[in-house]
Amino acid sequence: MYIPDDKILTNYADLLIKFALGGGTGIKKGEVVVISVPESAKPFVRFLRRSVLEAGGNAIFLNIFDDVGMREFYEIASDEQLDFFADKYYRGI
């Protein structure tokens, strides 16, 4: 698997966190950023976290499972579990 070098990952993270978010102005001190990436982007997570911290923000991490984890979910889940939607949770976010 190709992994860009640290400088490239740092630049991408800084672009996202310090410029793209907040309508093009970056995040502000104390703001919360939800970082949700698949396992394949795991090498990028530490650079995102570092950029959030440098900008004075706070990060919440959500894991997204790659194919193996999702396939098992769809094979095992009942109809009720497939229909489940955590509305209170998502409204809170």
Side-chain angles (χ1 to χ4, degrees), residues 18-36:
K18 297 176 182 174
F19 298 101
L21 292 178
T25 61
I27 67 167
K28 295 176 180 34
K29 184 177 180 180
E31 287 187 317
V32 177
V33 177
V34 176
I35 297 175
S36 179

Side-chain angles (χ1 to χ4, degrees), residues 51-86:
S51 188
V52 169
L53 293 172
E54 288 173 354
N58 300 295
I60 295 174
F61 296 92
L62 301 177
N63 296 324
I64 298 175
F65 298 105
D66 287 342
D67 296 338
V68 175
M70 293 309 297
R71 179 180 175 149
E72 182 180 56
F73 169 75
Y74 288 109
E75 289 175 347
I76 296 172
S78 69
D79 287 341
E80 290 82 17
Q81 290 168 318
L82 291 170
D83 289 337
F84 174 74
F85 182 76

